[in-house]
Amino acid sequence: MTNSEYNRYKDKAFQVFGICCTFFGLVVLAIFLVDILIEGMGRINWEFITSLPSRRALRAGILTAWTGTLWILVLTAVIAIPLGVAAGVYLEEYARKGRLSNILEINISNLAGVPSIIYGLLGLEIFVRQMQLGASLLAGALTLSLLILPIIIVTTREAIKAVPRSIRDASFALGASKWQTIWRQVLPASVGGIMTGIILALSRAVGEAAPLIVIGALAYVPFVATGPMEEFTVLPIQIFNWVSRPQADFLINAAAAIIILLFITFLLNGVAVYLRYRQQRKVKW
């Protein structure tokens, strides 16, 4: 057997192995989803969505959890999106290419893979203790903003990098300044990729529980938060609280809450896929 034949057989073996692993993962995921749907769909109703948590499973609802999730999602977006997009634009369009910029790029890429609980410890020290924000919605949003900032920065840079140089040259030839070129040509052409990265980052933030538990988010909150400085809970923490209880009815509640959390996550990912598809059809280089 020649080296080329050996390499060809090896590549096919790796492809088959990858396909088998993917199929096995999809089967396990399908079994998990079917089991969750069978257990939880019967519990989802208007009362479950609009009721406060309770020590009695049949009376417990997710009102405080999903409103807290909504608060966290909005505050995190308000904080992270401007900073992430601005940092991505600066690093791609204004920063000088050199050793310092290379170090920044490597560190930002590495930060995107740091475990989320590390960000929770960082948020506990900086926002909860040093800034004395306590276990508030604002502290949680700032912590999750740190978590998703590297993702937004990296996707923003990649989206901007995909814009052809000819668009910039044409804008400069017509007398536009660098900022006018970026604001009126580069950003509109890359908005689809930027929005995709933002939504995928926010969908990750919605599903996080570990960093919020570390900063002191509560598992039982008998009131709806009305401001960014109030204590809170979110759907992942509520699910964690219910699955840790021995009563079977609470497990059914947890399954119903998982369905709602999955719906929110799939909705955000669906919006991201739609924006990318729309941008690809709208812009053809």
Side-chain angles (χ1 to χ4, degrees):
M1 181 183 293
T2 63
N3 289 333
S4 60
E5 291 177 343
Y6 172 76
N7 291 330
R8 186 166 61 252
Y9 286 128
K10 184 174 67 173
D11 292 339
K12 288 183 179 180
F14 277 116
Q15 290 177 1
V16 172
F17 178 74
I19 293 172
C20 292
C21 290
T22 303
F23 178 75
F24 178 75
L26 290 175
V27 170
V28 173
L29 179 61
I31 294 173
F32 171 75
L33 291 177
V34 170
D35 183 64
I36 291 295
L37 290 172
I38 292 174
E39 284 196 20
M41 282 300 296
R43 185 69 178 87
I44 298 177
N45 52 42
W46 184 249
E47 183 180 359
F48 179 72
I49 296 174
T50 58
S51 295
L52 295 172
S54 174
R55 290 181 174 85
R56 297 182 180 180
L58 296 179
R59 296 178 55 185
I62 58 170
L63 178 61
T64 57
W66 73 260
T67 53
T69 297
L70 183 61
W71 266 105
I72 285 291
L73 182 64
V74 172
L75 290 175
T76 303
V78 169
I79 296 169
I81 292 175
L83 291 176
V85 174
V89 171
Y90 171 77
L91 290 173
E92 188 61 32
E93 295 291 337
Y94 288 98
R96 294 182 179 179
K97 304 301 179 183
R99 180 175 298 178
L100 180 60
S101 62
N102 291 334
I103 294 174
L104 285 175
E105 291 177 11
I106 294 172
N107 287 331
I108 290 172
S109 300
N110 290 335
L111 285 174
V114 172
S116 59
I117 195 169
I118 303 300
Y119 288 98
L121 295 172
L122 184 63
L124 176 65
E125 180 61 29
I126 296 177
F127 305 127
V128 177
R129 295 177 179 173
Q130 298 297 328
M131 297 179 63
Q132 298 182 355
L133 296 177
S136 62
L137 282 163
L138 183 58
L142 288 169
T143 302
L144 292 181
S145 297
L146 291 179
L147 174 67
I148 67 173
L149 262 177
I151 303 173
I152 296 177
I153 293 172
V154 170
T155 54
T156 298
R157 293 193 62 190
E158 292 299 323
I160 292 175
K161 192 181 297 183
V163 178
R165 183 67 192 177
S166 58
I167 292 181
R168 296 175 175 84
D169 294 338
S171 180
F172 292 144
L174 292 173
S177 64
K178 188 176 184 64
W179 172 246
Q180 288 174 331
T181 300
I182 294 172
W183 182 253
R184 297 184 179 181
Q185 302 298 328
V186 176
L187 286 179
S190 59
V191 67
I194 294 174
M195 289 301 299
T196 299
I198 289 172
I199 294 173
L200 293 178
L202 291 176
S203 66
R204 179 185 177 185
V206 166
E208 288 292 344
L212 300 180
I213 292 175
V214 171
I215 68 169
L218 303 177
Y220 178 81
V221 179
F223 57 86
V224 177
T226 57
M229 296 307 297
E230 293 191 11
E231 295 180 331
F232 70 102
T233 190
V234 291
L235 278 171
I237 296 179
Q238 185 67 74
I239 294 169
F240 170 76
N241 180 32
W242 279 338
V243 297
S244 62
R245 298 193 177 191
Q247 296 91 338
D249 290 335
F250 279 114
L251 297 179
I252 295 175
N253 287 353
I258 289 173
I259 293 173
I260 293 175
L261 182 59
L262 285 174
F263 173 77
I264 295 173
T265 305
F266 289 158
L267 180 64
L268 290 174
N269 282 271
V271 172
V273 172
Y274 170 75
L275 289 175
R276 178 174 292 246
Y277 173 75
R278 181 180 177 182
Q279 187 67 16
Q280 287 176 348
R281 291 193 59 186
K282 182 179 178 181
V283 180
K284 295 182 179 179
W285 313 122

